[in-house]
Amino acid sequence: MTGNGGDPMGRNAATDAVPTGEATRAVHAGLPEAEPYREPLPGPVLAAHYHLPGDPAGAPYAYGRDSNPTWTALERALAELEDPSGDARAVVFGSGMAAISAALLSLTGPGDTVILPADGYNLLQRVRERLEAGGVRVLTVPTPGPEALRVVESATGLRMLWLETPSNPGLDVCDVRELAAAAHARGALVAVDNTLATPLGQRPLELGADLSVASGTKALNGHGDVLLGYVAARDASVVERVVGWRKIVGAIPGPVEAWLVHRGLATLELRTSRQQGNALAVAEALLDEAATRGDVTGVRYPGLPGDPAHDLAARQMRRFGCVIGFTLPDRGFAERFLGASRIVEEATSFGGVRSTAERRGRWTTPDGASADAVAEGFVRMSMGVEDPADLVADVRRALEVARRGA
C-alpha cells in the first residue's frame, strides 16, 4: 500500500512544512530527504520481487504487483499536488482509463445508482456498459446547466456522482462545490476527472469532491511518451478499495513510466503557464477569424472572458488549461486545415509540449455516429510551449490554405 507520506503506508511526514507556491511544490513534490552524494530523484526500481524474510505482514515491499518504491515517490508527489494539506493519498495506475475504471468499478455495486456526464470522455460509454452489466443503474446528465443538480437531488440509491470539468472535448464546466454538497446530502461519493485542469489548475478535493482522478499521460508527463493514471482521495477506506482493485486487476504502471511522470512534474508549472498563455492567444485569434471570415464558429476556451464557462471556471480554477475547441464548416475544411499546419501536429492526445490538434468526429461508435457527439468539422486543439506568435501565424496560415481548397 503506497500513498502520499514519507513511508510506503502513505503518511505525510511533511505536514509541518513551510507552505510553498505551486512551482516550488511541483519541483520538490515527492522527493526523498536529501542525503550527501545521492541523487535528488532516485531512478526507477526495476523489481518483480524483493528480499522478504520472515512474516510478510506489514512489509512495505513484498511483490511487484503490490508496491514499488518508484510508485511510492510519485504517489506522494501527486497527493501533495492534489491536496497540499497532506490529508490525501494517491494510487497510480497503468493508464488514465485504468484509474477511471478502478474508481467507478471498485466503489459501486449491484443496486447502486451512478451519474455520469453525457458529454464526457467517450470511453465512459464503455465503462457504463460494464457498470450496467454488473447491476448498476447509470444516469447521464450534461456538464453545464441545472439538470445535473435536479438529477442528483431526485436519484434513488445514488452511490457516485462522476464529474468531468472542464469536459472533454466540449470544455464545459460545472459547479463542483454545489453538486458535491447535493450528492453528499444523499450519501453519495463525488469523483472529478481532473485530467484537463491538472492539480495546478484545479484541486477537486478542496472543492468538496471525494476523489480526484486523472490521466498522467497528458499534461502531468507532458512529453507524449508515457501512459499513466491515478486516483487521489482523503478517505482511507476509499483508497483501500481502489488499491485492492489495482492488485486484483493488475493495472499497474511500469517503474520507468512512474519515474518519467515524476520527473516531468518539475516543469509542470512552467509548462502549464506557457500553455495557458498560448491557448488564450490562439483562442483570441480564432475569435478574430470568426468575426471577420465567418467560417470559424463555436470557439471554446474557459480562459476567454466571453466563454460560457468562464465565470464559473474563474471561481473554481486557478488556470484554464491548454485545450481549445472550435468548429470549421465541414469535414473536408477541417482536414485541409489540419494538413496545412506546419507546427500543430495531428494527434489524438493533449497536454504535451508540442501543439496538437485533431478532428474529433473521426472517432465513431460501431453504428457510425460521432463518439463525442460533435460536428464533422469540430477540432480539438492542444497548445504546447512553442512561441505564441508562431502558433497564431501557423493557425491563420492553415485556415487560409483550407479556404483556398473550398
Side-chain angles (χ1 to χ4, degrees):
M1 174 65 201
T2 56
N4 77 324
D7 62 74
M9 294 306 293
R11 299 299 98 192
N12 191 341
T15 53
D16 59 346
V18 176
T20 56
E22 298 285 7
T24 304
R25 185 178 297 112
V27 169
H28 293 277
L31 297 183
E33 290 293 326
E35 295 183 32
Y37 321 116
R38 294 296 302 274
E39 67 275 28
L41 176 62
V45 175
L46 305 173
H49 63 269
Y50 308 88
H51 293 296
L52 188 63
D55 185 352
Y61 303 106
Y63 186 62
R65 190 181 62 248
D66 298 331
S67 55
N68 181 288
T70 313
W71 304 353
T72 300
L74 176 59
E75 290 174 333
R76 182 170 60 244
L78 293 172
E80 289 173 10
L81 295 181
E82 287 282 355
D83 183 20
S85 73
D87 293 331
R89 299 164 74 179
V91 186
V92 292
F93 290 84
S95 69
M97 277 309 302
I100 289 171
S101 299
L104 281 165
L105 297 174
S106 72
L107 295 168
T108 63
D112 289 339
T113 296
V114 171
I115 299 175
L116 298 178
D119 49 355
Y121 181 49
N122 60 62
L123 280 183
L124 281 177
Q125 174 58 32
R126 301 290 182 88
V127 181
R128 175 181 183 169
E129 294 168 3
R130 297 292 181 184
L131 288 166
E132 291 178 332
V136 176
R137 177 184 180 224
V138 179
L139 307 175
T140 59
V141 295
T143 294
E147 184 178 348
L149 184 60
R150 290 198 298 268
V151 173
V152 168
E153 292 176 338
S154 62
T156 58
L158 184 60
R159 171 60 177 165
M160 180 177 289
L161 169 65
W162 188 273
L163 305 175
E164 187 177 290
T165 179
S167 60
N168 174 26
L171 300 176
D172 283 307
V173 171
C174 61
D175 191 326
V176 177
R177 291 186 182 91
E178 179 182 63
L179 291 169
H184 289 158
R186 303 187 68 80
L189 295 169
V190 178
V192 174
D193 186 329
N194 204 36
T195 301
L196 199 147
T198 83
L200 296 193
Q202 178 175 265
R203 290 200 282 263
L205 301 182
E206 292 182 354
L207 297 173
D210 301 286
L211 301 93
S212 181
V213 185
S215 169
T217 305
K218 309 301 192 292
L220 285 185
N221 173 54
H223 293 80
D225 53 8
V226 166
L227 292 179
L228 189 132
Y230 71 91
V231 175
R234 290 171 172 162
D235 188 320
S237 65
V238 168
V239 175
E240 291 289 351
R241 293 180 66 171
V242 171
V243 169
W245 177 270
R246 180 179 69 179
K247 176 174 181 174
I248 293 170
V249 177
I252 61 174
V256 173
E257 286 80 0
W259 182 81
L260 284 170
V261 172
H262 197 168
R263 184 183 69 164
L265 294 182
T267 58
L268 180 60
E269 198 280 335
L270 293 172
R271 288 185 282 107
T272 55
S273 292
R274 178 62 172 249
Q275 288 168 320
Q276 174 173 268
N278 283 347
L280 184 59
V282 171
E284 289 174 340
L286 287 168
L287 282 180
D288 180 64
E289 293 284 336
T292 58
R293 301 298 295 269
D295 48 15
V296 178
T297 59
V299 179
R300 294 298 307 272
Y301 179 61
L304 285 169
D307 187 271
H310 177 74
D311 290 346
L312 177 54
R315 292 200 298 271
Q316 68 185 21
M317 299 178 71
R318 298 185 305 283
R319 59 191 72 192
F320 302 108
C322 63
V323 177
I324 303 166
F326 58 97
T327 301
L328 298 176
D330 52 41
R331 172 177 178 169
F333 194 109
E335 290 178 346
R336 291 194 300 274
F337 165 77
L338 293 168
S341 175
R342 295 295 175 265
I343 296 177
V344 181
E345 303 170 359
E346 193 167 3
T348 191
S349 193
F350 60 86
V353 292
R354 289 174 290 278
S355 294
T356 60
E358 71 169 332
R359 189 181 68 83
R360 286 297 292 179
R362 64 181 177 173
W363 301 104
T364 59
T365 60
D367 61 2
S370 168
D372 288 311
V374 294
E376 281 284 282
F378 177 83
V379 174
R380 184 185 72 184
M381 182 174 287
S382 169
M383 307 320 305
V385 299
E386 300 94 344
D387 288 300
D390 292 341
L391 288 169
V392 169
D394 189 54
V395 168
R396 289 188 185 276
R397 189 193 63 80
L399 285 171
E400 286 301 323
V401 172
R403 288 168 182 140
R404 290 198 295 270

